[in-house]
Amino acid sequence: MDSKYRAHDVTRTDRADGSILLRSNGTLEPVANRTTDWLEHWADETPDAVFLAERSGDGWRELTFAMAHEQARALAGGLLDLGLGPQAAILIVSGNSVNHGLLSLAAQYIGAPIVPLAEQYALIPQARVQIDFVAGLVKPAAVFADDGDALAEVLSRDVFQNVHKLVGHGGGSGVHTLDALSKIAGDITDAHAQVGPNTIAKILMTSGSTSSPKGVPTTHKMMCVNQAQIAYGLPFLKTRPPVIVDWLPWNHVFGGSHNFNMMLANGGALYIDGGKPAPHLVGKTLENLKLKTGTMAFNVPLGFAMVRDALKADAGLRHSFFAELDMLFYAGASLAQDVWSDLEDMAQEVRGDIPLFTSSWGLTETAPAALLQHQPTDRSGVVGVPLPDIDIKLIPDEDMRCEVRIKGPSVFTGYLNAPEQTADAFDEEGFYKTGDAMVFVDPSDSNLGLRFDGRISEEFKLASGTWVRAANLRLDILSELGASVSDVIITGADRDEIGLFIIPSVTMREASDSVDHDGGLRCASLERDVCEKLSAIGGSSSTRIARAIFLTEPLSISDGEITAKGSINFKKLLVRRATLLERLYDDADPATLVIKATAS
């Protein structure tokens, strides 16, 4: 194996109760005590190296480690002057930015937990009730909006009447700009000395895809240990400082803890991408990639599919994208094999070899990386083996599909102000019950890793008692339908057949022959293709799609149908659209598309 990759080395223990324990035999390098130790180190070792950057005009506004160190410490003094510190959380309602990053580091210097929220909650008026919910849970002492004018209505909400208003700019009277706070020149020496491994650095909200969002207190220790674990699995991080052009939101553990801290811990540079994998925003991503490419590329499968198409059409971008790439990392779901193969072929063409194509697995509660595929594989969907100091417990069923439980120093100890949910979250041995399922790539060789096999909470039984593994079936459907749809919601609990709510693509919504039947869409020009593809999926009642309705009303973030992280809350959606669900199972309803099985 190429020496720049770390080979898997795992011990498997099969226990008498049927459970399986997995543990890495690797040893971690020394672990930092606080996230700010990284900033102190790199400000001293490589003061002129770029750490954070965002677009400014035709180029980038770049902050070096020395600049970030000086500005974060100065801002920390201003925050301390306001009375902020441990037990005084700062709610952040704006998206990724240099100001957001500096505020986060300043807060961590004095032990004030940050609570980053999805910017959609602030930008969409109907979704602002979610801000009220989180504020009621964490009771912040301050709230930050980068653009105080644009978000003035958010800052004036009742939940923020008695908290400090922090802004990057604008906001009128009664607010504190970060620049003004940085000029107070408060002494943070004593406050910083009180910050240790067990100090809460941030409170992250879970996705809320199966229940209401919960607060996850995340300590400096959790994040520092996790970066040591990642560096063990990816030794090339220590060979040269990593560079990423990244859009993944910082309110999510992957963008805000995994990627942000990876750059901070390893002296790397994070260029903030204002684009996203959406038709109206992917252009920004491509523009940014033409200005700057990285040594690592992180994205969700849909994002890589869009980038793949652009790389095929632009030889110059193709060369710059792959030339210095150490790793291509997909998250959120399995990368379609055709996208995987196309990216591999282009990498081979540009450089004569293939960088590490990989994924990992983890949750908000695990800081996040727990499993990592850190040796090359030729297939999508593999999430690897435990990182050092992580104990994985697998509870197999009769098909050797395993429920995953986890324990280790990077795992949280309990939800914020939720003792009952915390008690339910751990088993009698102290393992966190993740609710996810895995299967071995090869049951005879644990070092080949695990493959994600869906969330157990998303599974249901048909009236016949047949189990439907909805998460995996959803991926199969999306892969088959491709660009015809944006997403699907699988139905059928306690019914005779599997049905679908289909979220149509922009093309389908705008087709000239689309007809709205009171919440359900019919589109003759595209239905035949969709029916043919759906009829070919599955040969049994647990996988065969019998009926579908195309939704005309977009999913609502304000009503909780879609979370801030873009996940669908299936339970809330089906409750909110209960009438449409009944119509789906009525063959005579004009919106219902009945799908005939392909003759075998």
Side-chain angles (χ1 to χ4, degrees):
M1 179 177 297
D2 193 318
S3 61
K4 69 181 178 181
Y5 302 128
R6 180 87 66 178
H8 293 177
D9 182 15
V10 172
T11 294
R12 169 175 170 163
T13 304
D14 290 81
R15 305 205 297 182
D17 63 1
S19 64
I20 300 168
L21 298 183
L22 296 179
R23 185 175 175 87
S24 169
N25 294 317
T27 302
L28 295 180
E29 295 291 329
V31 176
N33 286 320
R34 304 166 294 190
T35 60
T36 49
D37 292 348
W38 294 322
L39 184 56
E40 298 280 336
H41 173 79
W42 293 113
D44 182 57
E45 292 291 319
T46 58
D48 298 326
V50 173
F51 167 45
L52 278 179
E54 63 188 356
R55 283 299 301 274
S56 177
D58 294 331
W60 299 90
R61 171 196 175 193
E62 296 177 328
L63 253 68
T64 65
F65 276 99
M67 294 164 66
H69 173 254
E70 179 183 4
Q71 293 180 35
R73 289 185 64 95
L75 179 55
L79 298 179
L80 197 62
D81 187 69
L82 292 179
L84 302 180
Q87 313 304 320
I90 303 172
L91 201 65
I92 299 176
V93 298
S94 294
N96 303 1
S97 69
V98 167
N99 282 339
H100 182 158
L102 287 173
L103 177 62
S104 300
L105 292 168
Q108 289 167 27
Y109 263 110
I110 59 171
I114 60 165
V115 188
L117 298 185
E119 60 183 337
Q120 297 97 311
Y121 285 166
L123 297 175
I124 303 173
Q126 297 84 356
R128 291 172 183 169
V129 293
Q130 302 292 346
I131 295 178
D132 298 345
F133 171 81
V134 176
L137 177 66
V138 304
K139 297 177 174 54
V143 57
F144 169 72
D146 211 347
D147 188 334
D149 291 332
L151 297 182
E153 290 185 13
V154 175
L155 297 178
S156 65
R157 294 184 75 81
D158 289 344
V159 291
F160 298 137
Q161 276 192 351
N162 298 311
V163 306
H164 298 292
K165 280 81 170 177
L166 316 179
V167 299
H169 58 87
S173 61
V175 304
H176 304 276
T177 66
L178 299 192
D179 184 58
L181 288 172
S182 298
K183 295 176 181 176
I184 292 175
D187 185 356
I188 66 169
T189 304
D190 291 341
H192 189 217
Q194 297 301 311
V195 177
N198 294 320
T199 302
I200 297 172
K202 60 174 68 175
I203 299 169
L204 292 171
M205 304 306 298
T206 61
S207 67
S209 59
T210 57
S211 63
S212 295
K214 299 181 287 291
V216 178
T218 304
T219 63
H220 285 259
K221 177 181 179 180
M222 289 170 63
M223 296 196 295
C224 291
V225 168
N226 202 224
Q227 287 303 318
Q229 292 167 327
I230 294 167
Y232 167 87
L234 304 176
F236 54 80
L237 287 171
K238 301 299 183 182
T239 303
R240 62 171 174 171
V243 178
I244 60 175
V245 181
D246 196 47
W247 66 269
L248 291 166
W250 294 348
N251 65 286
H252 189 281
V253 69
F254 197 80
S257 293
H258 187 284
N259 290 1
F260 185 96
N261 287 340
M262 183 185 288
M263 299 305 107
L264 182 59
N266 296 287
L270 196 167
Y271 284 77
I272 299 168
D273 174 19
K276 285 183 175 61
H280 63 295
L281 290 172
V282 69
K284 287 187 178 181
T285 291
L286 299 177
E287 178 184 335
N288 291 332
L289 287 176
K290 289 178 181 178
L291 291 173
K292 188 73 180 181
T293 51
T295 63
M296 312 173 82
F298 294 92
N299 218 322
V300 296
L302 177 59
F304 274 127
M306 291 179 169
V307 170
R308 180 270 311 264
D309 294 341
L311 296 177
K312 278 188 168 185
D314 187 333
L317 180 59
R318 185 163 67 245
H319 184 274
S320 61
F321 183 84
F322 286 109
E324 299 296 325
L325 202 64
D326 289 322
M327 182 179 76
L328 186 149
F329 187 110
Y330 62 92
S334 294
L335 186 65
Q337 196 63 44
D338 67 303
V339 177
W340 174 292
S341 298
D342 286 345
L343 291 169
E344 278 195 337
D345 290 345
M346 287 187 282
Q348 186 72 42
E349 171 201 333
V350 168
R351 52 193 283 161
D353 65 0
I354 299 170
L356 181 66
F357 277 37
T358 194
S359 189
S360 73
W361 170 87
L363 305 166
T364 306
E365 292 88 344
T366 64
L371 301 175
L372 175 63
Q373 178 66 24
H374 50 75
Q375 65 184 33
T377 181
D378 60 358
R379 71 188 79 180
S380 176
V382 182
V383 295
V385 297
L387 289 165
D389 290 3
I390 289 290
D391 290 297
I392 293 290
K393 179 162 68 171
L394 304 173
I395 314 294
D397 62 17
E398 63 274 9
D399 298 320
M400 287 305 293
R401 182 173 184 257
C402 304
E403 176 200 344
V404 186
R405 301 181 181 183
I406 179 173
K407 182 165 60 174
S410 54
V411 180
F412 85 134
T413 58
Y415 293 110
L416 180 69
N417 301 327
E420 293 183 4
Q421 290 173 308
T422 296
D424 290 341
F426 295 88
D427 70 11
E428 65 283 354
E429 293 184 291
F431 283 86
Y432 171 59
K433 299 183 289 187
T434 70
D436 283 352
M438 301 278 180
V439 294
F440 284 100
V441 171
D442 182 347
S444 67
D445 187 354
S446 299
N447 278 313
L448 292 182
L450 294 163
R451 178 172 60 80
F452 180 71
D453 204 46
R455 283 197 62 79
I456 295 171
S457 61
E458 293 176 13
E459 299 174 359
F460 60 83
K461 282 184 179 181
L462 297 172
S464 63
T466 300
W467 277 103
V468 176
R469 293 179 176 174
N472 288 335
L473 181 56
R474 173 175 167 269
L475 292 177
D476 290 342
I477 293 168
L478 290 174
S479 178
E480 186 69 29
L481 295 181
S484 300
V485 306
S486 296
D487 215 325
V488 298
I489 298 92
I490 298 172
T491 70
D494 300 321
R495 297 182 183 270
D496 295 328
E497 300 172 322
I498 298 174
L500 287 183
F501 281 166
I502 298 180
I503 303 171
S505 64
V506 174
T507 301
M508 181 173 287
R509 290 183 188 276
E510 296 178 349
S512 60
D513 60 346
S514 294
V515 179
D516 184 351
H517 292 281
D518 191 24
L521 187 75
R522 294 298 297 266
C523 180
S525 60
L526 294 174
E527 282 177 8
R528 176 178 295 180
D529 179 58
V530 170
C531 283
E532 287 179 357
K533 290 177 177 178
L534 289 178
S535 66
I537 295 175
S540 66
S541 60
S542 65
T543 54
R544 195 183 84 75
I545 312 303
R547 54 191 64 248
I549 279 183
F550 297 90
L551 304 182
T552 58
E553 180 191 351
L555 301 192
S556 169
I557 190 171
S558 58
D559 290 316
E561 290 184 329
I562 186 168
T563 73
K565 300 173 185 177
S567 305
I568 297 173
N569 186 318
F570 300 99
K571 292 181 179 179
K572 286 188 178 180
L573 184 143
L574 292 175
V575 168
R576 185 169 180 266
R577 309 205 185 198
T579 300
L580 199 60
L581 180 62
E582 293 302 320
R583 292 173 56 193
L584 172 62
Y585 286 87
D586 179 358
D587 291 0
D589 192 283
T592 296
L593 191 63
V594 178
I595 301 161
K596 297 180 180 179
T598 300
S600 57

